[in-house]
Amino acid sequence: MSTDSTVYIAGLGVISAIGNNVAEHLAAFKNEKAGMAGITLLDTIHQGKLPVAEVKLTDKELIELTGLREHNSRTALLSLMAAQEALADAGISNFKALRTGLVSANTVGGMDRSEDFFVKFLADNTKGKLKNVYDHECGSMTETVADKLGISDFMTTISTACSSSANAVFYGARLIRNDVLDVVIAGGADALTKFTLNGFNTLMILDEAFCKPFDENRKGLNLGEGAGYVVLVSDKVAKTLNKPMYCKLSGYNNSNDAYHQTASSPDGTGSYLAMQGALKKSGLQPSDISYINLHGTGTPNNDSAEGTAVKRVFDPVYPPMSSTKSFTGHTLGASGGVEAVFSALAIKHKIIYPNLRFETRMNELSFEPEKKFLTDQPVNHIMSNSFGFGGNCTSLIFSAV
């Protein structure tokens, strides 16, 4: 392990339904403007029925902005948009001379391209080009982006459902702490597809209105899409940069309660273990946490389980908390990366995000989320939760430098 194993965040990049870059996201939060709307880009039978949080750019526009070729998946396009912004923001002039890596997460891969292919192919088996789908697996998204960013030392893909990119962030941090790499771009991306929309609809956990995380009358989640990446750097690299670091990654933990394929355990065992483990790793007490970015999907099961776990860790004194999925929808494999960016921004700008549309406190809880956008807050340590299917639960802790 290197002499100073502190891992800093030097750059941020994000794209979601509320903005195409970091600045647009800050403006959307300030104006309390959510990204959910009717479906416009996805060709689905659910158009006009289910709200989603779509990135407001077509594939064609994303191709022009990223310089990627035509047959790339929307997942890869979104990934490259955010990763390029993060790398530019970090401003590492000797990037090529360092040991660099990309740890990227996604759950849907190139499913959008496969769906297009099979519609044409099934109608006429002489139609549809196989080259458009031969690389639709999750790993191909990472390879495409690593190639474009000029990363050749290390690259890997993580796919652990909704905790995917939170796991990517802490795996990246471990690579730096163990002196394997100097710089890691870590996070994830996911695009909306018919496959995911139909799948979540089958689980009967989609809300037909805009989602209300942590509200007693919540009905389910709204699916979103997007990408979020942080540039993690070693202490040695941080000292060479002509800019202040956003924060450091001080704690992380992944726990799996393996309770059910899609449901969280009722007493939030995995969530509790993840939060406790992250606190232990960071050497912090629950009272040190300034804000919790809740996983907060808006489903009856998730919010109840997560709420129970938060109660177990923090009762009786709760920090401010909210679910930013009330803005972005649930971006699945991207959510941990997107919310890592939000956490770093909250520390830098001393802000706390509101939990939109919250009205009624959940009966079983003695706390409720923040309802307004708050500025000039003492934000020193943020806990960001990402809890996935199969009980795969991850908590990250970001701390002011």
Side-chain angles (χ1 to χ4, degrees), residues 6 70 113 120 131 143 151 211 228-229 285 314 341 378-379:
T6 308
E70 201 114 328
R113 306 303 290 142
K120 292 168 191 151
K131 70 167 191 186
E143 286 173 30
I151 291 170
C211 66
Y229 290 89
Q285 296 302 314
F314 290 93
V341 171
V379 185

Side-chain angles (χ1 to χ4, degrees), residues 13-17 19-21 25 41 53-59 61-63 65-66 68 72-86 104-106 108-109 112 141 144-145 187-193 224-229 331 334 338:
V14 64
I15 183 167
S16 81
N20 301 330
N21 52 47
H25 279 76
L41 299 172
E54 290 175 317
V55 166
K56 311 295 186 267
L57 292 169
T58 62
D59 287 2
E61 289 168 321
L62 286 166
I63 287 164
L65 288 164
T66 56
L68 271 184
N72 274 290
S73 159
R74 186 170 176 84
T75 307
L77 294 167
L78 294 171
S79 175
L80 186 58
M81 272 289 283
Q84 279 176 333
E85 183 189 15
S104 186
N106 72 84
V108 78
D112 55 331
M141 309 300 113
T144 300
V145 174
D190 257 337
L192 273 167
T193 67
E225 63 178 356
Y229 290 89
T331 56
V338 166

Side-chain angles (χ1 to χ4, degrees), residues 1-2 99 174-182 236:
M1 196 172 283
S2 56
R99 296 170 301 168
R174 288 172 67 189
L175 289 167
I176 291 173
R177 289 188 69 154
N178 289 288
D179 202 25
V180 177
L181 297 173
D182 306 305
K236 202 167 68 185

Side-chain angles (χ1 to χ4, degrees), residues 26 62 104 215 357 361:
L26 281 170
L62 286 166
S104 186
D215 192 287
R357 298 174 295 280
R361 179 187 289 187

Side-chain angles (χ1 to χ4, degrees), residues 200-217:
F200 275 81
N201 192 50
T202 305
L203 290 171
M204 298 187 287
I205 54 173
L206 295 180
D207 196 337
E208 290 181 1
F210 292 0
C211 66
K212 292 161 57 157
F214 273 77
D215 192 287
E216 174 61 23
N217 303 307

Side-chain angles (χ1 to χ4, degrees), residues 348-362:
K348 182 187 174 180
H349 298 288
K350 300 201 168 306
I351 54 180
I352 282 169
Y353 307 110
N355 197 104
L356 297 181
R357 298 174 295 280
F358 175 84
E359 289 164 358
T360 313
R361 179 187 289 187
M362 285 166 58

Side-chain angles (χ1 to χ4, degrees), residues 320-322 352-356 358 368-372 374:
M321 62 187 100
S322 65
I352 282 169
Y353 307 110
N355 197 104
L356 297 181
F358 175 84
E368 55 190 50
E370 193 49 59
K371 294 192 276 288
K372 285 277 155 233
L374 303 177

Side-chain angles (χ1 to χ4, degrees), residues 45-336:
I45 53 167
H46 302 298
Q47 261 178 345
K49 294 176 200 150
L50 293 170
V52 293
E54 290 175 317
V55 166
K56 311 295 186 267
L57 292 169
T58 62
D59 287 2
K60 197 162 182 258
E61 289 168 321
L62 286 166
I63 287 164
E64 279 164 23
L65 288 164
T66 56
L68 271 184
R69 295 192 312 276
E70 201 114 328
H71 68 80
N72 274 290
S73 159
R74 186 170 176 84
T75 307
L77 294 167
L78 294 171
S79 175
L80 186 58
M81 272 289 283
Q84 279 176 333
E85 183 189 15
L87 192 53
D89 181 38
I92 305 168
S93 55
N94 62 334
F95 184 72
K96 290 270 187 283
L98 298 166
R99 296 170 301 168
T100 59
L102 174 66
V103 182
S104 186
N106 72 84
T107 65
V108 78
M111 188 60 74
D112 55 331
R113 306 303 290 142
S114 303
E115 287 170 355
D116 291 348
F117 168 80
F118 280 107
V119 168
K120 292 168 191 151
F121 181 76
L122 291 171
D124 177 354
N125 65 13
T126 63
K127 295 280 191 316
K129 293 177 182 163
L130 265 175
K131 70 167 191 186
N132 291 350
V133 292
Y134 77 91
D135 62 349
H136 83 175
E137 77 275 10
C138 293
S140 292
M141 309 300 113
T142 309
E143 286 173 30
T144 300
V145 174
D147 203 35
K148 199 79 177 156
L149 297 176
I151 291 170
S152 55
D153 292 318
F154 185 92
M155 167 189 71
T156 192
T157 306
I158 291 181
S159 197
T160 56
C162 313
S163 60
S164 300
S165 51
N167 286 333
V169 170
F170 98 64
Y171 184 54
R174 288 172 67 189
L175 289 167
I176 291 173
R177 289 188 69 154
N178 289 288
D179 202 25
V180 177
L181 297 173
D182 306 305
V183 180
V184 178
I185 301 165
D190 257 337
L192 273 167
T193 67
K194 287 187 263 204
F195 175 76
T196 36
L197 193 62
N198 293 342
F200 275 81
N201 192 50
T202 305
L203 290 171
M204 298 187 287
I205 54 173
L206 295 180
D207 196 337
E208 290 181 1
F210 292 0
C211 66
K212 292 161 57 157
F214 273 77
D215 192 287
E216 174 61 23
N217 303 307
R218 65 198 182 283
K219 296 247 170 32
L221 59 84
N222 302 144
L223 279 181
E225 63 178 356
Y229 290 89
V230 294
V231 178
L232 303 168
V233 298
S234 66
D235 182 63
K236 202 167 68 185
V237 173
K239 287 189 173 106
T240 68
L241 301 178
N242 306 329
K243 58 172 286 186
M245 297 295 96
Y246 284 96
C247 56
K248 59 187 179 183
L249 181 66
S250 59
Y252 42 80
N253 185 266
N254 172 259
S255 296
N256 197 322
D257 60 27
Y259 171 75
H260 184 269
Q261 285 167 307
T262 58
S264 306
S265 73
D267 49 3
T269 307
S271 321
Y272 170 76
L273 292 170
M275 289 189 277
Q276 281 287 58
L279 282 166
K280 190 178 171 193
K281 180 91 181 156
S282 64
L284 297 169
Q285 296 302 314
S287 57
D288 295 321
I289 299 296
S290 324
Y291 165 69
I292 307 171
N293 182 292
L294 296 161
H295 185 54
T297 61
T299 64
N301 174 254
N302 173 86
D303 296 3
S304 174
E306 186 177 8
T308 304
V310 166
K311 188 175 170 181
R312 280 174 75 183
V313 177
F314 290 93
D315 195 67
V317 183
Y318 297 95
M321 62 187 100
S322 65
S323 168
T324 47
K325 290 181 182 69
S326 60
F327 283 85
T328 62
H330 190 355
T331 56
L332 305 182
S335 60

